[in-house]
Amino acid sequence: MTLYINTSAPLDENSMAAKLINKGCAVNTAHPVTGDTLLHNLVKNKLEAAAIFLAKHKSDVNIANKKGETVLHLLAQHGLLSLVKTYSS
């Protein structure tokens, strides 16, 4: 099962997203055409709270998309350098 996050809903340990992740929902599934993961898309759209939520739930920042971009590349490219700390810890 692939996870899609409703970014307008609260993202905490009681959220549906957290419950799905805790039941084994995949957070690192890549799109078959672009190679983007959910985390790639959240960062591209500057959805910081959702990206931090996934960071706390073992999303992999080292997966490269078809363009060779990792999440860390995108964080720098989109000016979200504060999130680098989240993924470094």
Side-chain angles (χ1 to χ4, degrees):
M1 177 189 310
T2 302
L3 178 66
Y4 294 94
I5 291 180
N6 175 357
T7 55
S8 64
L11 293 172
D12 58 28
E13 291 310 309
N14 295 317
S15 68
M16 181 57 71
K19 290 176 184 177
L20 288 169
I21 290 169
N22 290 333
K23 292 287 184 182
C25 189
V27 295
N28 292 312
T29 303
H31 187 277
V33 175
T34 65
D36 286 343
T37 64
L38 176 58
L39 189 55
H40 282 90
N41 289 321
L42 293 174
V43 170
K44 286 179 181 180
N45 290 293
K46 298 183 179 182
L47 297 169
E48 293 182 57
I52 290 168
F53 173 82
L54 278 186
K56 293 177 180 177
H57 289 89
K58 300 178 184 171
S59 57
D60 187 346
V61 296
N62 296 309
I63 296 173
N65 63 14
K66 301 274 175 133
K67 293 180 181 178
E69 301 166 320
T70 67
V71 170
L72 292 175
H73 291 120
L74 295 173
L75 287 170
Q77 182 180 2
H78 292 282
L80 300 173
L81 299 177
S82 62
L83 288 178
V84 172
K85 290 180 184 176
T86 301
Y87 292 105
S88 299
S89 43

